[in-house]
């Protein structure tokens, strides 16, 4: 079956999907995006993702391309038309198509919207979680407004490619103080030797992850010890466990950082348990 994409009001074959050469997303990375997990034919935390989409649009002064209800409808349609039971659904909104000019286009230029979906293998994800992943540190070099989920991801691409070339699956950005900010496409966590979960505050300097929020609710519900504070790379090396969170990976154990074994070198019990319980702390919207 051919994949289907939604592009500016039309459902088209994925192979034929295209945007204009002067779309500002292409010319200036002038746009934002969201990715929702699809789990057992349900879109995970769609309200939270669309809340964050609305915030990102507002911060960049881009209008919604259609009503929020219409976006929800199209998200469901794209998932259904692609027969995605487990996978991801992606939405991107840009400021629209206009002649290349750094200034905002005229007010009558409509924002562009693209929505796609693809299937993934729960079995493959579980196999990776059972093994754990390696991360590689990288100097923090992004603009200060990483709290906006923009499509300007070139620093992330370079960081993650560096990780791949050094045997890692993910990158961890490290700021000038030696503290981990977040991953190239994830939020970063450790579990101290005393069993305290630690992750950086999301007021500034990191993206306020939707999966992160669900994990915080799980931590509270399960009565686990938690501190929201920066942690250093050295502290991560000495941690009992480490893991990352994102819609694309849910809760993914980290077993190596910069080639150094974390804990006993196997996925930890806290991360494994949070992964098992994750969907009990999320809003599940049936497609």
């Amino acid at each position: 079956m051919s994949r289907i994409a939604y592009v500016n009001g039309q459902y088209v074959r994925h192979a034929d999907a295209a945007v204009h050469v002067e779309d500002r997303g292409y010319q200036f990375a002038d746009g934002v995006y969201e990715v929702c997990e699809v789990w057992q034919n349900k879109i995970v935390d769609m309200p939270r993702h669309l809340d964050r989409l609305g915030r990102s649009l507002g911060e960049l002064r881009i209008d919604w391309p259609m009503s929020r209800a219409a976006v929800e409808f199209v998200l469901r349609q794209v998932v259904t038309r692609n027969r995605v039971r487990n996978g991801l659904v992606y939405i991107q909104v840009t400021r629209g198509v206009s002649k290349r000019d750094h200034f905002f286009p005229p007010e009558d230029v409509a924002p562009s919207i693209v929505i796609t979906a693809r299937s993934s293998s729960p079995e493959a994800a579980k196999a990776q979680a059972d093994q754990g992943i390696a991360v590689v540190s990288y100097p923090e070099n992004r603009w200060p407004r990483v709290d906006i989920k923009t499509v300007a991801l070139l620093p992330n691409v370079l960081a993650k490619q560096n990780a791949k070339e050094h045997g890692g699956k993910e990158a961890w950005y490290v700021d000038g103080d030696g503290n981990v900010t977040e991953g190239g496409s994830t939020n970063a966590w450790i579990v101290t030797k005393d069993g305290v979960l630690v992750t950086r505050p999301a007021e500034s300097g990191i993206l306020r992850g939707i999966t992160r929020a669900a994990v915080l609710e799980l931590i509270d519900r399960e009565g686990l010890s938690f501190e929201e504070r920066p942690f250093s790379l050295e502290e991560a090396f000495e941690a009992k466990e480490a893991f990352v969170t994102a819609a694309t990976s849910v809760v993914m154990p980290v077993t190596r950082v910069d080639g150094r074994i974390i804990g006993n070198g196997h996925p930890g019990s806290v991360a494994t348990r949070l992964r098992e319980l994750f969907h009990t702390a999320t809003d599940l919207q049936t497609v």
Side-chain angles (χ1 to χ4, degrees):
M1 184 192 75
S2 297
R3 289 178 62 192
I4 301 296
Y6 179 87
V7 182
N8 293 327
Q10 293 185 311
Y11 297 98
V12 298
R13 286 199 326 138
H14 188 271
D16 299 327
V19 294
H20 195 280
V21 67
E22 289 196 309
D23 188 282
R24 290 178 65 92
Y26 173 70
Q27 296 286 353
F28 296 109
D30 189 3
V32 300
Y33 75 102
E34 281 292 333
V35 182
C36 299
E37 181 195 9
V38 181
W39 179 74
Q40 295 184 2
N41 208 39
K42 297 177 177 64
I43 301 177
V44 178
D45 277 335
M46 181 165 63
R48 281 175 166 167
H49 280 284
L50 293 184
D51 286 347
R52 189 172 64 179
L53 177 66
R55 179 185 181 278
S56 294
L57 289 170
E59 291 294 314
L60 296 188
R61 294 160 59 189
I62 299 174
D63 293 331
W64 281 83
M66 60 181 77
S67 71
R68 176 164 168 157
V71 172
E72 290 180 4
F73 175 81
V74 176
L75 282 169
R76 288 188 169 94
Q77 280 289 304
V78 172
V79 171
T80 299
R81 291 177 185 228
N82 285 281
R83 301 180 186 176
V84 174
R85 179 170 174 77
N86 295 286
L88 300 168
V89 58
Y90 175 92
I91 176 172
Q92 177 172 304
V93 181
T94 75
R95 204 178 301 275
V97 176
S98 184
K99 69 176 183 179
R100 194 182 190 283
D101 190 331
H102 284 73
F103 298 112
F104 288 0
E107 292 185 0
D108 61 351
V109 171
S112 298
I113 180 170
V114 171
I115 299 178
T116 59
R118 61 179 173 83
S119 296
S120 62
S121 166
E123 294 78 18
K126 183 181 184 304
Q128 185 172 74
D130 290 343
Q131 184 74 22
I133 65 169
V135 301
V136 177
S137 63
Y138 198 81
E140 179 63 84
N141 63 348
R142 300 170 298 166
W143 77 316
R145 294 306 310 275
V146 293
D147 57 295
I148 306 171
K149 199 170 178 67
T150 76
V151 298
L153 294 173
L154 182 57
N156 308 63
V157 168
L158 295 175
K160 288 178 75 77
Q161 180 62 26
N162 178 74
K164 181 179 180 180
E165 291 171 357
H166 289 84
K169 181 70 175 180
E170 175 60 306
W172 270 4
Y173 282 110
V174 179
D175 66 20
D177 296 323
N179 292 322
V180 175
T181 53
E182 61 182 340
S185 58
T186 60
N187 288 128
W189 304 69
I190 61 170
V191 181
T192 69
K193 289 182 177 178
D194 295 328
V196 179
L197 285 96
V198 182
T199 195
R200 191 181 182 98
E203 279 73 22
S204 63
I206 70 169
L207 183 70
R208 190 177 292 274
I210 303 304
T211 304
R212 175 187 185 277
V215 169
L216 288 174
E217 291 183 3
L218 259 181
I219 289 169
D220 182 64
R221 191 185 81 188
E222 297 297 305
L224 301 175
S225 297
F226 170 69
E227 293 178 2
E228 193 173 31
R229 62 170 176 79
F231 64 87
S232 68
L233 197 57
E234 289 298 322
E235 191 175 3
F237 293 149
E238 299 299 321
K240 184 178 180 180
E241 296 183 37
F243 60 94
V244 296
T245 56
T248 53
S249 57
V250 189
V251 178
M252 183 59 63
V254 171
T255 54
R256 288 179 181 269
V257 177
D258 286 350
R260 296 177 62 166
I261 294 173
I262 304 303
N264 63 7
H266 298 282
S269 59
V270 174
T272 300
R273 182 63 173 157
L274 290 173
R275 182 178 178 86
E276 291 171 350
L277 294 174
F278 176 73
H279 292 108
T280 68
T282 58
D283 180 285
L284 302 174
Q285 302 270 328
T286 301
V287 175

